[in-house]
């Protein structure tokens, strides 16, 4: 089984629509997970400087035997590096053991003090995030890392934040990676992004650890009718909406099942199924799992 499902970016590049997420994957587990994923047919690995495991991701890439040119690799610029983009990018490239990225994202629209009391999460004396309030995030979408990055994009940007950067950007972001799933579909934001030519990507498409999504009665009933697993429906639902899905697992069987199941659900879900699934969150199940205490209004609906 190969991830032959691709979507087009606004700069003409293609992106595999099914990827392996590496957030919260432990360093001693992620290398094997990446190796297994690539051997099973994945061609898209989603990383970030802040995850602290990019060196092991690179080890998994090399162990798989799959040529670098066949793998789409994403990483992300962290908030303490907004004034030092090239430094963060070079650290990521060195850790991954590659000389370019296919996609580089601004991880959060929250610049933080580069000289604070912690390299990842600097805090102020009162314990709140030490944000770099004098830095204008709009200056980031101006180039492509001097040939080191094929496409650039954003992550965790609301419509308000996208509008802010589009006022001055010379480059329209290729993607916006968001928490998107059955309980947090963000229909309005997804529609807005597509109107701007920005491809939505879904992290946590199955929810978080011990997620209630996997026990959702509506998704389970649809899965039963199509002889699928509930997780297949959750992934196929987003795939049918032309949203890139980034499921995360370090279990070899689960890694393969997510790929196969997503593609099967993509083929089997009907228009009626999609309409029913679209209404699940609005019918009392709206839930967002990732809401870091940034101390600033990011402009999202259903935050907090």
């Amino acid at each position: 089984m190969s991830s032959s499902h691709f979507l087009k970016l606004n700069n003409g590049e293609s992106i595999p629509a099914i990827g392996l997420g590496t957030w919260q994957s432990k360093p001693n587990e992620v290398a094997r997970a990446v190796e297994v994923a690539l051997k099973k047919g994945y061609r898209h690995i989603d990383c970030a400087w802040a995850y602290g495991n990019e060196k092991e991701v690179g080890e998994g890439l090399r162990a798989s035997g799959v040529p670098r040119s066949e793998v789409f690799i994403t990483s992300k610029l962290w908030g303490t590096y907004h004034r030092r983009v090239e430094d963060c990018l070079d650290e990521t490239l060195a850790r991954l053991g590659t000389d370019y990225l296919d996609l580089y994202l601004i991880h959060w629209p929250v610049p933080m003090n580069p000289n604070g009391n912690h390299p990842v999460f600097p805090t102020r004396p009162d314990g709140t995030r030490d944000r770099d309030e004098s830095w204008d995030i709009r200056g980031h979408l101006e180039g492509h890392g001097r040939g080191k990055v094929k496409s650039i994009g954003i992550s965790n940007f609301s419509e308000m934040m996208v509008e802010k950067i589009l006022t001055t950007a010379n480059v329209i972001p290729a993607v916006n990676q968001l928490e998107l799933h059955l309980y947090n579909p963000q229909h309005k934001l997804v529609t807005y992004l597509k109107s701007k030519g920005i491809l939505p990507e879904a992290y946590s498409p199955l929810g978080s650890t011990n997620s209630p999504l996997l026990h959702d009665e509506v998704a389970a009933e649809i899965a039963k009718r199509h002889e699928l697993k509930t997780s297949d429906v959750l992934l196929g639902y987003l795939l049918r909406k032309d949203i890139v899905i980034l499921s995360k697992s370090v279990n070899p069987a689960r890694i393969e099942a997510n790929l196969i199941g997503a593609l099967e659900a993509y083929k089997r879900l009907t228009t009626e199924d999609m309409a029913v699934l679209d209404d699940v969150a609005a019918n009392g199940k709206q839930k967002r799992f990732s809401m870091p205490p940034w101390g600033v209004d990011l402009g999202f609906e259903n935050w907090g």
Side-chain angles (χ1 to χ4, degrees):
M1 178 67 69
S2 176
S3 176
S4 56
H5 193 93
F6 288 83
L7 294 169
K8 277 287 186 184
L9 300 178
N10 58 22
N11 61 359
E13 298 283 344
S14 294
I15 182 171
I18 303 173
L20 178 75
T22 59
W23 181 46
Q24 293 183 329
S25 294
K26 298 174 184 176
N28 62 340
E29 297 175 335
V30 74
R32 177 63 177 157
V34 169
E35 178 186 355
V36 167
L38 293 173
K39 285 181 174 178
K40 294 297 183 181
Y42 284 77
R43 290 297 180 266
H44 180 176
I45 307 295
D46 184 77
C47 321
W49 180 92
Y51 297 169
N53 58 12
E54 288 185 320
K55 182 175 181 292
E56 290 77 14
V57 170
E59 291 171 1
L61 173 63
R62 290 183 289 279
S64 74
V66 177
R68 168 67 184 92
S69 59
E70 294 182 15
V71 183
F72 191 102
I73 300 179
T74 299
S75 190
K76 307 177 190 75
L77 172 74
W78 188 242
T80 50
Y81 280 85
H82 281 206
R83 293 179 184 266
R84 303 170 292 152
V85 176
E86 201 85 9
D87 290 351
C88 192
L89 175 58
D90 286 345
E91 285 187 27
T92 281
L93 293 175
R95 291 171 180 172
L96 290 171
T98 184
D99 57 4
Y100 74 97
L101 293 175
D102 296 276
L103 180 62
Y104 198 42
L105 311 180
I106 301 172
H107 204 150
W108 287 89
V110 186
M112 289 184 285
N113 184 357
N115 301 307
N117 62 2
H118 192 276
V120 184
F121 291 111
T123 56
R124 295 170 176 165
D126 64 359
T128 60
R129 294 281 186 256
D130 190 0
R131 289 179 282 109
D132 187 356
E133 298 184 57
S134 64
W135 180 244
D136 191 340
I137 198 167
R138 290 178 294 183
H140 285 320
L141 297 176
E142 301 305 319
H144 285 63
R146 299 179 206 166
K148 299 175 185 176
V149 176
K150 288 189 174 183
S151 303
I152 56 177
I154 52 182
S155 180
N156 298 298
F157 275 61
S158 65
E159 180 176 340
M160 177 185 82
M161 287 295 187
V162 175
E163 283 291 315
K164 181 177 180 180
I165 60 168
L166 289 184
T167 58
T168 59
N170 293 327
V171 177
I172 305 298
V175 310
N176 187 8
Q177 188 178 128
L178 301 156
E179 181 185 339
L180 293 172
H181 48 70
L182 186 66
Y183 287 4
N184 191 48
Q186 305 197 72
H187 297 308
K188 182 183 173 187
L189 178 54
V190 167
T191 298
Y192 164 78
L193 292 172
K194 291 184 176 182
S195 76
K196 298 294 184 181
I198 302 171
L199 185 69
E201 290 189 318
Y203 69 76
S204 300
L206 299 174
S208 63
T209 305
N210 300 318
S211 170
L213 275 71
L214 294 171
H215 306 287
D216 182 79
E217 302 89 343
V218 175
E221 176 57 34
I222 291 173
K224 182 179 179 182
R225 193 162 64 247
H226 292 295
E227 298 182 325
L228 296 165
K229 296 192 294 294
T230 303
S231 58
D232 302 338
V233 170
L234 297 172
L235 296 173
Y237 165 64
L238 296 170
L239 203 57
R240 279 285 302 271
K241 297 165 82 69
D242 288 336
I243 295 172
V244 174
I245 51 175
L246 304 166
S247 55
K248 186 196 80 70
S249 180
V250 294
N251 178 292
R254 176 66 62 192
I255 289 169
E256 183 176 21
N258 285 342
L259 174 61
I260 296 171
L263 292 170
E264 281 301 315
Y266 175 83
K267 291 186 287 188
R268 299 184 197 182
L269 290 175
T270 66
T271 303
E272 292 75 16
D273 294 332
M274 294 296 292
V276 170
L277 293 167
D278 273 342
D279 288 340
V280 168
N283 288 334
K285 293 182 178 178
Q286 168 63 44
K287 185 174 179 62
R288 187 187 291 270
F289 296 102
S290 179
M291 292 177 286
W294 295 118
V296 62
D297 179 16
L298 298 183
F300 282 111
E301 296 180 355
N302 303 303
W303 184 283

